[in-house]
Amino acid sequence: MQPSNRCLRLIQHNLQARFTMHSLYPKKVYVELTTRCNLQCPMCLKFSEGSCIEEGDLPLALFKKLAPSLAHTEFLVLNGIGEPLLHPDLEEIIAIARAVMPADGRIGFQSNGLLFNQARALGLIEAGLDTVCLSLDNLDAGDAGNGPNGSQKGHQFTAVKRALAHLLQAREMLQKPVRLGIEVVLQRKTLHQLQGLVAWAGAHQIDFIIASHLFSYDGSLAEQSLFNPNSYEATELFAKWAAAAQAQGLQLADLPAAQRKFYKNPAERLLVQLGEAMWQEAREKNIDYHFANLVAQSDQDVEEVEACFHQAQQSAQQGGIDLFLPPLHAQANGQRSCSFIEDEAIFIDTKGKVMPCHFLWHTCPGQVNNGAIQVEARVLGSITEEPLETIWQKETAAAFRAEAGKRDYAPCWSCTSAPCADLVNDNLLGMHDCYGSHVPCGHCMWAIGWLKCL
C-alpha cells in the first residue's frame, strides 16, 4: 500500500522538526520595545476593530535581564506593534545587545521614519544598529491625512526620504555596514506605483525591499488585497470547469443555488453534474478548495499583477536590490511552512511574555474566509521569571516547534466545513483544527504566504 500524501509530508519534515525542537537557543529574537505609535495606519492590527492591545514600553531593566540570553542570537529584531524610535532607551538597548551578541549578529528594526534626524541616525548606528527597514505605502508626496488629536494616519513618503538621507549620511560618516530597506504593503489602489518605488529605491542606495500583501484584520479593507487565498491548483481547476459551464451557457457561480433546489430544470441538472465532475477531479488530484473564495477571486486580473511584479523584478536587478515579492496564491496544502519555525525565532512582548510566532504574539481579532475569529496569544513563559533559553528549551515550547515544523496544517483557508474557525482558541480537548492539532497553524496568514516580516 502506498503511503498517503499526508504521511509523506510528515516523513519529509520529520528531521527538520527534530532539529528545531532540540536547538538549545533561538537564532532570531523579536523584542517588542513598545506598542505606542505616532501613526494610525488603517491596515494595522492595533487600529483594527476589536483590537485591545495595551500601550506601553518594555522596561530597560527587563531588557538588561534578557541581555545574557542574546549571546547566541543571530538576528535581533526590535519590533512589534509600535514604533521603536518612540522607546526612550533605544540607543542603550542596542548598545547592550551589541555587547553580548556574536560579532556577526545583526540588530535591526522597522520604522515609519518620522522621528529620524541626523543625530539620531548617528547615535543608533554608533550603538550597533546595522539593519533599518523603512515602511512606505505609496510614492505620493502629500500627507496621507490626519487622525484624531492631529496624529497622522499613514506612512509618509517625505518622512521616509528624509530618514533615508540621514541614515545614508550617518553610514558614510561612520563607515559602518548598515543595510537599508523598504517595506511596502501591496494594495490594489497603489499597485501601479510598485515599479516606480523600486526604481526610486535603486537610485537611493536601498539594499532590499520586502513587499507583503495587505491583510485586513477586521475585514474593512479586504477589497484592497491582491492575495488570492486559494491555491494556484484550485484556481486553475475552477477556471477549467467555469469555462466548461460557460460553453453550455451556464455560470459555475450559480452552482450552490442549483444544488439547493429539490426540483431542478435541465440546465440546473447539467450544472450540478459539472460541479460533481469538478469535485471528483479535485479529489483525484488531492486539491482542497473553498468554492465561495474561488467565485470571489474569479474576476481578478492576475495577469496585470504578474506584469507589475515582473517589471519590478527587472528594476530591482538593474538597481542591485534584493527584492522579495510575495506569492499571489496561497500555498497548496503540503507546501505550506512556517518561516518562524525554520528561522528558529521567538517573540517577546513589552511585558516580557514569550510567544512562539508572530500569529500568536497578541490576543487580537482575525479573519478566516471572511469569518471573524479571535486569536489568543500563546504564552510559553516570561523573561521576568526565567531566562529566555530556559523557556525555549521547555517541553511545551519544543513540542510546539516540533508539531508546527511538520507542516501538517489543516486546510482552513480552503475548507467549507464551517463553522470551525473558533477552534483557533483553546477548547476542552486542546485542539485547534479538524486534524486535532495543538498548533493553530492552519489559520495562520504567514503559513499560506499572505504576510512577510523583517
Side-chain angles (χ1 to χ4, degrees):
M1 179 182 295
Q2 292 293 322
S4 67
N5 288 337
R6 189 177 178 205
C7 288
L8 289 173
R9 293 201 302 269
L10 290 174
I11 295 170
Q12 180 181 359
H13 302 299
N14 191 44
L15 287 176
Q16 178 185 349
R18 287 181 181 176
F19 173 76
T20 304
M21 179 177 61
H22 292 298
S23 298
L24 295 178
Y25 308 94
K27 293 181 179 178
K28 192 172 186 179
V29 179
Y30 289 80
V31 179
E32 185 173 59
L33 294 184
T34 182
T35 52
R36 296 183 296 121
C37 191
N38 49 355
L39 292 182
Q40 292 188 2
C41 300
M43 77 283 287
C44 179
L45 167 61
K46 182 179 178 181
F47 300 108
S48 297
E49 185 176 355
S51 179
C52 53
I53 296 174
E54 296 180 8
E55 292 201 339
D57 296 342
L58 181 86
L60 177 61
L62 188 53
F63 188 84
K64 289 180 178 179
K65 191 172 184 178
L66 168 68
S69 299
L70 301 176
H72 300 273
T73 301
E74 296 179 1
F75 192 10
L76 174 64
V77 184
L78 299 172
N79 259 124
I81 292 298
E83 166 57 50
L85 289 173
L86 284 171
H87 198 285
D89 304 308
L90 180 58
E91 284 83 353
E92 186 173 356
I93 283 173
I94 292 173
I96 291 170
R98 179 56 68 201
V100 298
M101 286 176 61
D104 58 350
R106 293 187 295 150
I107 302 174
F109 60 70
Q110 175 188 322
S111 169
N112 58 46
L114 282 167
L115 298 178
F116 266 114
N117 55 38
Q118 191 60 57
R120 201 80 199 272
L122 284 168
L124 289 166
I125 294 175
E126 281 183 315
L129 182 70
D130 59 39
T131 304
V132 181
C133 191
L134 298 169
S135 299
L136 183 60
D137 288 338
N138 60 69
L139 294 176
D140 292 337
D143 288 343
N146 294 324
N149 303 318
S151 61
Q152 295 175 325
K153 289 184 178 179
H155 300 135
Q156 312 294 306
F157 184 39
T158 51
V160 170
K161 288 194 296 184
R162 185 170 60 248
L164 180 60
H166 293 316
L167 288 164
L168 287 171
Q169 186 174 358
R171 182 172 71 175
E172 179 66 24
M173 290 174 62
L174 298 172
Q175 289 295 295
K176 290 193 174 183
V178 180
R179 280 179 58 79
L180 302 177
I182 295 289
E183 182 182 56
V184 58
V185 177
L186 299 172
Q187 299 184 57
R188 195 168 299 282
K189 65 182 180 181
T190 56
L191 176 64
H192 64 282
Q193 296 187 358
L194 179 60
Q195 184 184 6
L197 185 149
V198 175
W200 174 84
H204 289 80
Q205 302 180 56
I206 292 294
D207 300 297
F208 65 93
I209 297 176
I210 299 173
S212 185
H213 288 296
L214 181 149
F215 180 80
S216 184
Y217 287 90
D218 58 11
S220 61
L221 297 174
E223 75 283 352
Q224 285 299 319
S225 177
L226 295 165
F227 185 72
N228 185 341
N230 307 289
S231 70
Y232 176 80
E233 293 82 0
T235 303
E236 290 293 290
L237 178 74
F238 181 86
K240 170 187 172 180
W241 289 100
Q246 191 170 13
Q248 300 291 332
L250 304 171
Q251 295 295 322
L252 193 57
D254 296 333
L255 176 61
Q259 289 172 324
R260 288 192 296 268
K261 282 185 141 183
F262 185 78
Y263 294 107
K264 300 178 177 64
N265 61 38
E268 290 165 342
R269 288 197 296 270
L270 176 57
L271 186 58
V272 170
Q273 290 174 4
L274 291 171
E276 290 175 348
M278 181 178 75
W279 177 80
Q280 185 61 41
E281 183 178 348
R283 285 198 64 182
E284 292 171 355
K285 295 182 177 179
N286 196 33
I287 298 174
D288 294 304
Y289 65 82
H290 186 286
F291 190 83
N293 278 349
L294 288 168
V295 172
Q297 295 289 332
S298 61
D299 61 347
Q300 302 298 334
D301 189 356
V302 178
E303 292 183 357
E304 178 186 357
V305 182
E306 289 176 339
C308 287
F309 276 23
H310 178 69
Q311 293 168 355
Q313 285 285 13
Q314 288 184 321
S315 295
Q317 291 175 359
Q318 294 170 1
I321 295 174
D322 292 330
L323 172 63
F324 171 85
L325 289 174
L328 294 176
H329 296 85
Q331 297 297 314
N333 295 336
Q335 300 174 10
R336 300 176 185 179
S337 62
C338 176
S339 61
F340 305 124
I341 294 297
E342 294 173 355
D343 291 344
E344 299 182 63
I346 200 76
F347 294 74
I348 304 170
D349 72 4
T350 55
K351 296 181 180 179
K353 294 179 181 178
V354 179
M355 288 71 165
C357 62
H358 207 300
F359 181 56
L360 302 176
W361 205 349
H362 297 95
T363 295
C364 60
Q367 296 271 323
V368 175
N369 293 332
N370 298 316
I373 63 171
Q374 183 73 9
V375 181
E376 297 291 335
R378 177 70 65 88
V379 181
L380 301 175
S382 174
I383 60 172
T384 62
E385 301 171 358
E386 51 194 343
L388 180 62
E389 60 270 23
T390 301
I391 299 170
W392 174 265
Q393 295 167 19
K394 278 183 178 179
E395 183 178 350
T396 51
F400 184 99
R401 296 195 300 275
E403 187 172 352
K406 292 176 181 177
R407 306 186 187 180
D408 190 34
Y409 308 151
C412 301
W413 287 90
S414 51
C415 177
T416 54
S417 300
C420 71
D422 285 341
L423 286 180
V424 75
N425 298 324
D426 285 329
N427 56 67
L428 184 63
L429 300 177
M431 297 187 301
H432 292 280
D433 55 46
C434 57
Y435 281 13
S437 300
H438 293 89
V439 294
C441 302
H443 302 83
C444 178
M445 303 82 72
W446 283 266
I448 63 174
W450 201 315
L451 299 178
K452 173 72 175 177
C453 297
L454 180 65

